[in-house]
Amino acid sequence: ITSDAIEINFEASQGSVDLSSDNKLTGCQGSELKDDQGNVPSAAADVNTRLPTSHRYYVKDLTLSCATAGRTGQALVPNVETLQITYGVSSGWQIDQPDKRRPVRYVDATHVTNWADVVAVHLCVLMRSSEPVLDKRETATHGYTDCDGKALTASDGYLRRAYATTVALRNRVAL
């Protein structure tokens, strides 16, 4: 099963990331973030501290993982078979025309022709049970619906379920 990956670039602040025990901004792996000079500023000393950073989310070895720029990834969630990401594209985003700010279709990254028209991201994670739920003597199959909405069956004994959500990009959509 192939899986997507996504990298999110943002300004880390007290409200957007976890803090270490000594009030330093941390990345998705718990490591302290550094500024352009290599210093690790304290968010407690300056609540307005903001550091440019990025988090890359991907599936490796049945695990949803995250890597911060320049670091090796860390496992976050086990038993993830696939991460599927599609992008909600508007018909020509315009701030003064609400109908132009809504997605008219969802496409994968290879079919986005103008990233300025992306107004939402649809995420789907296909999870798998940690152990088979069927005894090896049983021959029944389990049905499930994948991230594409297809009804499938599995005969390996593992239970599967897709979880999905759509996120509006706040800097592009007025809801």
Side-chain angles (χ1 to χ4, degrees):
I1 297 174
T2 60
S3 190
D4 294 331
I6 189 168
E7 186 166 321
I8 301 170
N9 299 304
F10 65 101
E11 282 188 333
S13 66
Q14 277 191 356
S16 65
V17 297
D18 289 332
L19 299 177
S20 67
S21 59
D22 57 347
N23 289 315
K24 306 283 177 41
L25 301 175
T26 64
C28 60
Q29 302 155 297
S31 57
E32 294 175 343
L33 299 175
K34 298 178 181 180
D35 63 16
D36 294 339
Q37 291 78 38
N39 301 317
V40 180
S42 171
D46 182 3
V47 295
N48 295 316
T49 299
R50 296 192 182 329
L51 297 175
T53 191
S54 65
H55 291 170
R56 183 174 190 275
Y57 296 92
Y58 59 95
V59 174
K60 180 179 180 184
D61 301 328
L62 289 175
T63 303
L64 179 64
S65 301
C66 180
T68 307
R71 297 187 183 262
T72 304
Q74 177 179 338
L76 296 177
V77 181
N79 305 310
V80 176
E81 281 199 349
T82 187
L83 168 65
Q84 184 185 63
I85 303 165
T86 54
Y87 301 90
V89 179
S90 69
S91 62
W93 194 91
Q94 295 179 19
I95 192 149
D96 59 343
Q97 296 182 17
D99 290 343
K100 299 280 187 176
R101 297 189 307 235
R102 294 184 181 97
V104 293
R105 69 185 180 286
Y106 284 84
V107 297
D108 64 24
T110 61
H111 291 95
V112 174
T113 56
N114 183 358
W115 285 95
D117 289 337
V118 173
V119 295
V121 178
H122 180 79
L123 304 160
C124 182
V125 178
L126 182 64
M127 304 290 297
R128 184 185 88 174
S129 60
S130 59
E131 299 174 8
V133 295
L134 287 179
D135 186 282
K136 291 186 181 200
R137 296 176 302 227
E138 296 179 88
T139 58
T141 60
H142 281 282
Y144 67 98
T145 303
D146 72 0
C147 286
D148 292 321
K150 294 178 187 167
L152 300 173
T153 57
S155 59
D156 60 2
Y158 288 93
L159 183 62
R160 289 172 176 78
R161 180 162 181 182
Y163 296 90
T165 191
T166 301
V167 180
L169 300 180
R170 294 187 317 177
N171 61 337
R172 298 299 292 158
V173 176
L175 298 176

